[in-house]
Amino acid sequence: MTTVNVRVGVGVLIRDPRHPSKVFAGLRRNSHGEGTLALPGGHLEMYETWEECAIRETLEETGLNIHNVQFGHVTNDMMKGEGKHYVTIYMMGECVCPDTRPQNLEPHKCHGWDSYAWEELCEFAECSGTKDSNESGMENKDNEQSPILFGPLLKLVEEAPLLVMDFLNKSQ
């Protein structure tokens, strides 16, 4: 019998310095959740703190240096259809330099980065429940295709944790 372990992922809510009520996210490529919208992040490495992981993954994926990194939320993400189970720790941070923009430093893993308001993510969440019927998303109220949220991000949006809401509303 093969033993499959639960993995620990870290997702990072990075406030867009130009639009402080928005966070950066990108479309996944060549991995589980292909084509879905996800936050920067990755696997927690052995003996790494959550803060260190958030800072490292953000720098590796986007080239952004972040600080004021703090805990936001945790989700239990069972992806039975993919044979995966993750505990995802959400950290929140701000860009050190207000003029920097995210770069796509791992184009084999991500299609590129943009920033999204919580309200947009909530709208995408409404469309994400239909992934099986329409892989590319549903049309939103403006007849545009809405991206599907990556499972862990969908769960975060559905749970709307207070710490995350406070973080997003802090700059408004």
Side-chain angles (χ1 to χ4, degrees), residues 5-160:
N5 294 317
V6 176
R7 306 279 315 261
V8 177
V10 174
V12 191
L13 293 138
I14 306 161
R15 185 175 295 143
D16 182 343
R18 292 187 186 165
H19 307 280
S21 63
K22 294 185 174 188
V23 294
F24 294 116
L27 292 175
R28 293 174 64 86
R29 172 184 268 173
N30 296 324
S31 183
H32 69 286
E34 166 86 25
T36 60
L37 190 67
L39 300 171
H43 293 109
L44 183 68
E45 293 183 359
M46 186 70 78
Y47 308 117
E48 186 175 47
T49 69
W50 300 348
E51 293 84 358
E52 290 168 343
C53 182
I55 291 167
R56 175 184 55 78
E57 286 288 354
T58 298
L59 186 59
E60 287 175 2
E61 294 180 10
T62 69
L64 296 172
N65 286 299
I66 61 171
H67 66 146
N68 299 330
V69 178
Q70 57 189 316
F71 173 79
H73 192 61
V74 64
T75 57
N76 186 24
D77 305 301
M78 295 174 268
M79 301 170 230
K80 292 180 182 176
E82 300 178 51
K84 297 184 183 294
H85 185 172
Y86 278 81
V87 171
T88 307
I89 300 161
Y90 289 94
M91 302 299 289
M92 306 174 298
E94 299 173 341
C95 294
V96 171
C97 178
D99 298 325
T100 59
R101 303 307 295 161
Q103 304 167 58
N104 190 8
L105 298 180
E106 295 182 335
H108 58 289
K109 294 182 180 180
C110 179
H111 289 278
W113 301 103
D114 203 349
S115 63
Y116 301 88
W118 186 258
E119 294 75 22
E120 291 175 285
L121 296 177
C122 290
E123 183 179 311
F124 301 159
E126 291 176 16
C127 299
S128 295
T130 62
K131 183 175 181 187
D132 292 335
S133 61
N134 183 356
E135 275 296 316
S136 61
M138 276 182 52
E139 289 184 0
N140 62 20
K141 60 186 173 220
D142 299 320
N143 292 326
E144 298 171 351
Q145 287 297 107
S146 292
I148 299 294
L149 297 183
F150 183 48
L153 179 56
L154 175 60
K155 195 162 193 178
L156 177 73
V157 170
E158 290 172 344
E159 293 179 6

